[in-house]
Amino acid sequence: MLQLTRDGEYAVRAVLHLAAHEDRVSLIHEISEAQDVPKSYLSKIMQSLTRAGIVKSRRGAKGGFFLARPAGSITLRETIEAVEGPIHLNVCLIKKGECPKDEGCPVHPVWREAQKKLFEVLEGKTMQDLVRDAEAIQKRNSRKLAQAR
Amino acid sequence: MLQLTRDGEYAVRAVLHLAAHEDRVSLIHEISEAQDVPKSYLSKIMQSLTRAGIVKSRRGAKGGFFLARPAGSITLRETIEAVEGPIHLNVCLIKKGECPKDEGCPVHPVWREAQKKLFEVLEGKTMQDLVRDAEAIQKRNSRKLAQAR
DNA sequence: ATATTTAAGATGATTTTAGTCCTGATTTAT
DNA sequence: ATAAATCAGGACTAAAATCATCTTAAATAT
């Protein structure tokens, strides 16, 4: 459907949560509540993120999740692909031979271009950027609220 | 899966075929063979394209399909959305209220930007452009073939 | 030991995808 | 008038993807 799945959306929310609380570990339960993601489902998402090397986990008491690397080095694209697999806007971009025409198809370069542009946007934002953006939005909203009084 | 479905791919092939043979009507059977699309499936695709006002049809002997408008006025985006419905890279772009955070979400503007970029690419190519591109590729390939001899 | 957490795998309901097939409506040719 | 050619529309289906849930195992802190 040319649309991000829940997997990708939930992964972004989870990593963003960890990025906003980089100083400590976060529990599945906590992330689930704060980010509005079903707990048992989130558990699967976190497993993928761990395997992808984006987050790390510690089991047992005092355990939980935390970023494996600085938030400034984790992009949206990386986070999404960790749970959804590599993004290919059209099957013809997966590899040679997926399209009958393949070379010789005039639409192929258009999809390549579209995907490149998409990647530029998704790679242009790190989790650190997004945490800062969220803070800015927060500040703007509370100022608005103060004015309304 | 953030990927174009067969519907969209087939629609593009079909409209491209009509654009390359704008002087006459094309049969389902013919398009199916030439563009490698299952015949009975293509029938559905053509119905959507007709309803969307991109192609016109005539029934009966000497009937078939043809473009409803000049190929230069039909974009890739339009063709795809005719069969897949409006493109929304993320559910949060469908309308307000689809996302729990909605306003206040720092990721939302990123998706808006990504979608804008995608639309720019898909709207920047008309069916006329693509037919010309295909001809250029054809010419280049036959020149290469001649050199190889 | 025990309580707390994540890891991994099995399972399942619902929706989407990617088709097929049949009947009917329309148009043209004879 | 009738037959032949074509598209229109709807019913149907198999397989895959989506979006979860649940249970058991493993690791860790106290």
Side-chain angles (χ1 to χ4, degrees):
Chain A
M1 219 197 326
L2 206 43
Q3 189 172 87
L4 193 75
T5 65
R6 298 284 78 195
D7 283 36
E9 170 70 18
Y10 292 162
V12 171
R13 291 190 204 173
V15 175
L16 212 44
H17 185 93
L18 296 187
H21 304 92
E22 243 181 327
D23 50 321
R24 56 176 181 81
V25 302
S26 301
L27 304 185
I28 288 263
H29 176 74
E30 172 201 335
I31 304 172
S32 161
E33 297 248 308
Q35 304 298 321
D36 198 32
V37 178
K39 205 168 83 172
S40 58
Y41 196 36
L42 178 60
S43 162
K44 291 296 167 196
I45 302 286
M46 298 311 291
Q47 281 177 37
S48 297
L49 291 171
T50 304
R51 276 189 228 103
I54 291 173
V55 313
K56 281 189 179 168
S57 68
R58 208 170 42 227
R59 306 216 262 217
K62 295 285 170 71
F65 294 91
F66 51 98
L67 294 187
R69 312 192 318 252
S73 77
I74 303 173
T75 68
L76 268 181
R77 175 183 176 186
E78 202 187 348
T79 303
I80 291 165
E81 291 195 325
V83 294
E84 301 216 339
I87 291 171
H88 304 288
L89 286 185
N90 193 338
V91 291
C92 69
L93 295 175
I94 295 177
K95 63 178 193 296
K96 266 193 184 180
E98 290 295 327
C99 180
K101 308 240 169 183
D102 228 4
E103 308 310 300
C105 168
V107 191
H108 190 93
V110 183
W111 283 113
R112 214 165 14 192
E113 172 75 1
Q115 177 154 303
K116 194 182 125 211
K117 288 278 172 65
L118 175 66
F119 284 167
E120 278 170 15
V121 173
L122 295 184
E123 281 169 2
K125 279 283 177 178
T126 68
M127 292 298 150
Q128 189 176 41
D129 295 334
L130 291 169
V131 169
R132 283 176 185 160
D133 292 351
E135 284 165 2
I137 292 169
Q138 207 57 38
K139 204 169 284 181
R140 178 163 54 71
N141 283 353
S142 56
R143 233 188 306 122
K144 248 186 208 160
L145 215 65
Q147 275 182 341
R149 265 187 284 130
Chain B
M1 219 200 321
L2 207 40
Q3 189 171 86
L4 193 75
T5 64
R6 299 285 77 197
D7 283 37
E9 170 71 18
Y10 292 163
V12 170
R13 290 190 205 176
V15 175
L16 212 44
H17 185 92
L18 297 187
H21 304 94
E22 242 179 329
D23 50 321
R24 57 177 181 79
V25 302
S26 302
L27 304 183
I28 287 264
H29 176 74
E30 172 201 335
I31 305 171
S32 161
E33 299 247 308
Q35 303 298 320
D36 198 33
V37 179
K39 205 167 83 172
S40 58
Y41 196 36
L42 178 60
S43 162
K44 293 294 166 197
I45 303 287
M46 298 312 290
Q47 280 177 39
S48 297
L49 291 171
T50 304
R51 277 190 226 103
I54 292 173
V55 313
K56 280 188 178 168
S57 69
R58 208 167 44 225
R59 303 214 265 214
K62 295 286 169 75
F65 294 91
F66 51 98
L67 293 187
R69 313 191 318 254
S73 78
I74 304 172
T75 67
L76 268 181
R77 176 185 174 183
E78 202 186 348
T79 304
I80 291 166
E81 291 194 324
V83 295
E84 301 216 339
I87 291 171
H88 304 288
L89 286 186
N90 193 338
V91 291
C92 69
L93 296 175
I94 295 177
K95 63 177 195 293
K96 264 191 184 182
E98 290 295 327
C99 179
K101 307 243 168 179
D102 229 2
E103 309 309 301
C105 168
V107 192
H108 190 93
V110 182
W111 282 114
R112 213 164 19 193
E113 171 76 2
Q115 178 155 303
K116 194 182 126 213
K117 289 277 171 66
L118 175 65
F119 285 166
E120 278 170 13
V121 173
L122 295 184
E123 281 169 3
K125 279 283 177 179
T126 69
M127 292 299 151
Q128 189 176 41
D129 295 334
L130 291 170
V131 169
R132 283 177 185 159
D133 291 352
E135 284 164 2
I137 292 169
Q138 207 58 39
K139 205 168 283 181
R140 178 162 55 69
N141 284 353
S142 54
R143 234 188 307 119
K144 248 189 208 161
L145 216 63
Q147 276 183 341
R149 266 189 280 130

